Amino acid sequence: MATFLSISASPQAISSTHAVLSHVNRRLLAAGHTVRTLPVRELPPGPLLAADSSDPEIAEAIEAVAGADALVVATPVYQAAYSGLLKVFLDVLPQFAFRGKSVLPIVTGGSPAHVLAVDYALRPILSALGAAHVGQGWFVPSSHIRVFADGGLVIDPSSLTPLAQVTDEFLDLVGARPAPTAPLPGRVDSAGGPRISAVAGHPDIEARRVIPGDPALAPLLSDLVIEYGTRYGRPSPNTQLTEVPTTDFLPPEGLFVVLVEGGVTVAGGAIRRYDEKTAEVKRVWTSHRHRRRGLARRVMAELEAAAAELGYLRVHLTTGPRQAEARDLYLASGYVPRFDQSADPETIGPLAFAKELVPGAGLPDWRHPTWAVQMDPDDRRQVHAAINGARR
Ligand SMILES: Cc1cc2nc3c(=O)[nH]c(=O)nc-3n(C[C@H](O)[C@H](O)[C@H](O)COP(=O)(O)O)c2cc1C
């Protein structure tokens, strides 16, 4: 595991740049690395401007750079270049302070005219300081960044996705990123045969029904922690959306569905019991590398089919007020909102939706997924028969 130093170079106390950097840090932490943040604005201004490396705090900052395996350098665009605050800090460093290190540049700015500030302004000085590799980097327009008073942050998906991608590529560059989940071994379904369930339109994607603890769930669960932590900051009723016991997702009352492509989990979601006749959808997720492929719609269809098979008659779900994409997905999937759509979502909290299931509708064009869990087929059939009999 590597030690990262994230240098935050905005002079502002409430900073868009710092917020974006905090999100990148979450991704680095989730990959198992040590991350230290250096907000340059908190260094003593006198010694900083005088380039006094004998000052204990300045000396400690220089030491932090020397001790890092890799760095993230985040700055706003000021006057068409990186911030002056970043320049005065870089000026106190030794000439080749970044020698042998990988550096990821992140820039926020107000004008699309300065999208290339990463390349024409920041990249040259990082190279001049000896960086072995300067990552792809990314410019996030300030119009794509919304910082909330509670520490929450919403980044527009059109910036969030590439930001996540350049962060992943940087982790690959540093060479310490865990390998993608290996293909799972063949499993036995309830009928005793091998389970293959192609997803229509995506012949290489397989839908699997799995239980908590399955390794295919790892990317989904860790990414949801990053998503909720970023969007809601401090713990709140919205972050509690993820805080339900994993045992809730065990058959016969719940399960996870994952879409797996080439051995890698690309999307997923879960259902659990809400009441005797109602399933609750939770944890719907699509990998940032696989957005805009219609996978979340497919996950919803798979979950609804599974809920019907488990004997539920309707589906209930909630999403947070800062998840506009999820809200759009549920509306497009035929869910009826149970809140005032004209109100500011921030004043509502978790947003509730519901949908009646059509008995026997299933997945018309697709083969049904089968269970990817090792269960005694007879036990499961008996349990489901009992549940179906009681509910219908
Ligand atoms: C003094 C000043 C100069 C700026 N100059 C530029 C500029 O030349 N080009 C640009 O795209 N944005 C410019 N901006 C906008 C900032 O880059 C943008 O709002 C950024 O997200 C602020 O980040 P911060 O909140 O971390 O300071 C400027 C902002 C300030 C305060």
Side-chain angles (χ1 to χ4, degrees):
M1 293 293 112
T3 299
F4 287 78
L5 180 69
S6 289
I7 298 175
S8 176
S10 169
Q12 304 298 330
I14 297 175
S15 157
S16 299
T17 311
H18 191 81
V20 170
L21 180 63
S22 300
H23 172 69
V24 171
N25 285 346
R26 285 182 196 276
R27 301 200 80 85
L28 304 179
L29 286 165
H33 303 296
T34 302
V35 181
R36 181 175 170 190
T37 304
L38 173 60
V40 180
R41 73 183 295 276
E42 292 180 10
L43 293 174
L48 185 64
L49 286 172
D52 178 5
S53 57
S54 67
D55 176 89
E57 288 180 67
I58 302 290
E60 193 188 339
I62 295 171
E63 194 55 40
V65 171
D69 300 311
L71 300 107
V72 183
V73 175
T75 175
V77 180
Y78 282 177
Q79 316 296 38
Y82 48 80
S83 70
L85 188 62
L86 179 61
K87 186 66 166 72
V88 291
F89 178 64
L90 297 181
D91 289 351
V92 302
L93 296 176
Q95 185 178 3
F96 296 113
F98 292 172
R99 189 195 294 275
K101 300 178 193 298
S102 297
V103 185
L104 176 65
I106 300 290
V107 170
T108 72
S111 166
H114 294 140
V115 164
L116 293 179
V118 173
D119 295 308
Y120 70 69
L122 191 50
R123 189 178 296 277
I125 196 168
L126 301 177
S127 298
L129 284 162
H133 304 282
V134 181
Q136 166 72 50
W138 201 252
F139 174 99
V140 183
S142 44
S143 59
H144 286 191
I145 304 165
R146 187 171 171 199
V147 181
F148 293 83
D150 57 13
L153 165 71
V154 171
I155 303 175
D156 188 275
S158 58
S159 285
L160 188 62
T161 296
L163 186 64
Q165 284 172 350
V166 299
T167 306
D168 281 356
E169 284 160 15
F170 184 62
L171 285 165
D172 288 339
L173 186 73
V174 173
R177 189 159 168 256
T181 315
L184 296 176
R187 290 164 187 270
V188 177
D189 72 6
S190 58
R195 68 163 311 284
I196 299 173
S197 168
V199 171
H202 302 288
D204 297 331
I205 296 183
E206 179 189 348
R208 293 181 182 167
R209 293 179 184 178
V210 299
I211 59 171
D214 192 295
L217 290 172
L220 177 153
L221 297 176
S222 71
D223 229 37
L224 282 177
V225 170
I226 297 172
E227 289 269 327
Y228 276 84
T230 296
R231 286 179 199 245
Y232 297 105
R234 288 195 291 272
S236 71
N238 296 313
T239 59
Q240 284 162 17
L241 292 173
T242 57
E243 294 167 10
V244 297
T246 50
T247 48
D248 281 16
F249 304 113
L250 280 172
E253 298 194 316
L255 56 87
F256 278 91
V257 167
V258 287
L259 303 186
V260 179
E261 184 174 40
V264 176
T265 305
V266 293
I271 51 172
R272 66 170 184 164
R273 182 185 195 273
Y274 184 69
D275 63 33
E276 191 193 349
K277 295 181 176 174
T278 312
E280 181 176 14
V281 165
K282 305 286 286 183
R283 305 198 176 169
V284 175
W285 167 86
T286 305
S287 160
H288 59 81
R289 292 189 175 208
H290 299 274
R291 303 255 161 105
R292 298 180 185 276
R293 297 177 64 190
L295 298 181
R297 287 287 291 272
R298 189 58 43 85
V299 167
M300 293 305 294
E302 300 283 1
L303 290 172
E304 288 165 17
E309 281 178 46
L310 291 180
Y312 294 112
L313 302 179
R314 68 183 69 91
V315 176
H316 155 88
L317 62 86
T318 56
T319 188
R322 297 177 192 170
Q323 283 153 278
E325 318 92 288
R327 182 175 162 158
D328 292 346
L329 167 70
Y330 301 136
L331 289 172
S333 303
Y335 282 75
V336 178
R338 299 202 153 172
F339 57 91
D340 179 1
Q341 284 188 276
S342 63
D344 176 0
E346 287 290 317
T347 63
I348 302 174
L351 310 177
F353 292 83
K355 182 176 181 177
E356 298 293 322
L357 294 174
V358 180
L363 294 166
D365 299 330
W366 315 316
R367 284 193 56 192
H368 283 244
T370 48
W371 289 90
V373 292
Q374 303 276 2
M375 298 185 70
D376 181 294
D378 293 329
D379 279 359
R380 196 167 66 76
R381 269 198 289 272
Q382 281 167 14
V383 171
H384 288 182
I387 291 173
N388 289 342
R391 284 204 178 103
R392 298 227 178 239

